[in-house]
């Protein structure tokens, strides 16, 4: 029998239990997928801790993976037996050696992209795609601010924006991470632990502010991020690694220059299969043409998911992390 990480109660990394798990046979519209690797993302921590409640318990966490189609249910037209595929998004259940998943959520992998690389890039890469193409369409000459610029999404976002021709400012927590961000398209890394990042942004932009802020940090950076924007700039809050953003008066957006605010999710931007395929194709094209390099910074056995979560929460990871089978 195959195994999976199962959560019976929310809490710290210790609630991630490695247990036997029989995924069953695929029903209509489903496939049985044998994972080669699974992606590690901060949303997995939110589900584990209960910050994002999960309706069913016990449950298998994880929203990203890649592997081989091992069995196909009736009515499946999107993929075939033996196909190399990847996915990101609902339904949850990626932390497993094998899982059932709706076929319409899978995308076929180009021959040049290994499944281990795909598991490191689908959720973060398609997130970068909707951030830079959907929330605010970045153009050549725009100036952007990326928080956690040396993280998985941050590194992809910096490379993609620089490829477009934007000026990229980023924040990082150490000299090592700042150097990594600089090597991946961030022209102006700021050490947020040692520098006042709104003041540095004003200096870099000649007092104008940036066109858009991409903030996955949340509580620790949200209000100061608003001070980095030009009038009518866009604040994109897409994560909360430091904690949830407290409630605030939307009149603040008017007072700071008629700012825009959005709180997007990958699930909404890729809900339709056409949108899912468009996001994946755009990501694959940029990777295959060398515009984006996917950096797998850490690899852990799936059975050691607790160690991976501990490192992620302690901000000891750089780039993408994967859990291998």
């Amino acid at each position: 029998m195959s195994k999976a990480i199962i959560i019976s109660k929310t809490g710290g990394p210790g609630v991630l239990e490695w247990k036997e798990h029989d995924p069953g046979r695929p029903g209509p519209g489903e496939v049985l997928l044998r994972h080669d690797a699974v992606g590690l993302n901060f949303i997995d921590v939110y589900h584990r801790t209960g910050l994002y409640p999960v309706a069913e318990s016990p449950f298998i966490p994880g929203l990203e993976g890649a592997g081989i189609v091992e069995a196909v249910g009736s009515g499946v037209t999107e993929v075939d037996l033996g196909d190399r595929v990847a996915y990101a998004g609902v339904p949850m259940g990626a932390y497993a050696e094998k899982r059932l998943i709706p076929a319409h959520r899978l995308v076929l992998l180009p021959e040049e992209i290994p499944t281990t690389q795909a598991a490191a890039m689908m959720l973060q890469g398609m997130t970068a795609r909707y951030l830079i193409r959907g929330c605010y369409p970045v153009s050549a000459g725009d100036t952007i601010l990326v928080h956690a610029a040396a993280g998985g999404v941050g590194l992809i976002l910096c490379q993609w924006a620089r490829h477009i021709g934007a000026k990229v400012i980023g924040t990082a927590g150490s000299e090592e991470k700042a150097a990594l961000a600089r090597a991946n398209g961030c022209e102006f890394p700021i050490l947020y632990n040692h520098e006042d990042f709104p003041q540095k942004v004003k200096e870099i932009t000649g007092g104008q502010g940036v066109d858009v802020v991409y903030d996955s940090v949340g509580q620790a950076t949200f209000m100061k991020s608003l001070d980095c924007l030009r009038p009518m700039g866009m604040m994109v809050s897409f994560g909360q690694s430091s904690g949830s953003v407290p409630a605030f008066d939307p009149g603040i957006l008017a007072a700071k220059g008629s700012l825009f605010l959005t709180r997007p999710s990958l699930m909404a931007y890729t809900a339709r299969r056409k949108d899912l395929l468009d996001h994946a194709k755009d990501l694959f094209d940029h990777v295959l043409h060398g515009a984006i390099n996917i950096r797998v910074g850490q690899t852990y056995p799936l059975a050691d998911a607790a160690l991976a979560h501990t490192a992620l929460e302690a901000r000891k990871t750089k780039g993408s992390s994967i859990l291998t089978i």
Side-chain angles (χ1 to χ4, degrees):
M1 182 179 290
S2 65
K3 288 189 172 184
I5 293 289
I6 297 176
I7 296 177
S8 299
K9 61 179 181 180
T10 57
V15 304
L16 298 166
E17 298 183 282
W18 183 238
K19 293 183 174 181
E20 289 190 346
H21 169 70
D22 182 2
R25 302 297 297 173
E30 291 184 324
V31 305
L32 177 65
L33 179 62
R34 173 173 53 80
H35 282 128
D36 288 336
V38 172
L40 174 69
N41 297 283
F42 229 100
I43 194 170
D44 305 342
V45 174
Y46 301 156
H47 289 141
R48 191 205 75 220
T49 61
L51 180 63
Y52 288 1
V54 176
E56 297 182 1
S57 184
F59 66 93
I60 299 172
L63 294 171
E64 175 183 39
I68 308 298
V69 175
E70 198 165 85
V72 177
S74 62
V76 170
T77 58
E78 296 87 353
V79 297
D80 291 318
L81 190 67
D83 279 345
R84 299 168 62 257
V85 297
Y87 66 91
V90 292
M92 192 183 303
Y95 282 31
E97 291 179 326
K98 297 182 181 182
R99 70 165 297 180
L100 297 177
I101 188 169
H104 68 84
R105 298 307 304 170
L106 299 172
V107 296
L108 294 170
L109 286 176
E111 291 183 4
E112 301 90 340
I113 295 181
T115 49
T116 49
Q117 184 185 41
M121 65 187 261
M122 294 301 296
L123 193 145
Q124 294 171 350
M126 292 197 297
T127 293
R129 200 272 188 181
Y130 80 69
L131 292 174
I132 210 164
R133 294 296 192 194
C135 297
Y136 180 90
V138 174
S139 301
D142 285 344
T143 303
I144 74 172
L145 173 62
V146 180
H147 286 302
V153 174
L155 290 178
I156 298 171
L157 192 55
C158 288
Q159 292 177 76
W160 206 322
R162 188 64 183 273
H163 177 70
I164 290 171
K167 177 186 291 186
V168 182
I169 306 170
T171 63
S174 69
E175 290 282 3
E176 182 183 8
K177 289 187 175 183
L180 179 60
R182 185 181 290 108
N184 284 272
C186 179
E187 299 171 81
F188 303 97
I190 299 171
L191 294 174
Y192 64 83
N193 289 325
H194 305 289
E195 301 175 282
D196 180 32
F197 72 81
Q199 180 60 38
K200 290 294 294 184
V201 167
K202 292 294 184 182
E203 292 175 9
I204 293 167
T205 62
Q208 298 301 306
V210 300
D211 296 290
V212 57
V213 175
Y214 295 111
D215 189 349
S216 62
V217 178
Q219 186 180 78
T221 53
F222 182 85
M223 293 305 296
K224 286 187 175 182
S225 291
L226 298 179
D227 294 330
C228 296
L229 287 163
R230 63 162 171 79
M232 292 169 285
M234 172 67 78
M235 174 69 180
V236 183
S237 175
F238 70 101
Q240 49 195 45
S241 61
S242 70
S244 302
V245 176
F248 78 106
D249 180 357
I252 293 173
L253 299 175
K256 291 184 180 293
S258 296
L259 305 179
F260 293 89
L261 169 65
T262 184
R263 183 63 167 88
S265 75
L266 177 64
M267 290 66 176
Y269 273 88
T270 60
R272 299 186 305 169
R273 180 155 180 81
K274 179 184 182 303
D275 293 329
L276 171 65
L277 295 178
D278 285 346
H279 276 69
K281 183 180 185 304
D282 204 4
L283 173 61
F284 293 158
D285 286 348
H286 279 74
V287 171
L288 292 175
H289 287 91
I292 296 172
N293 175 46
I294 302 300
R295 185 181 190 277
V296 180
Q298 299 76 214
T299 300
Y300 305 87
L302 179 57
D304 292 337
L307 294 177
H309 275 231
T310 299
L312 183 63
E313 288 182 277
R315 300 186 182 183
K316 293 181 178 179
T317 62
K318 297 182 289 293
S320 300
S321 300
I322 59 172
L323 308 171
T324 56
I325 310 303

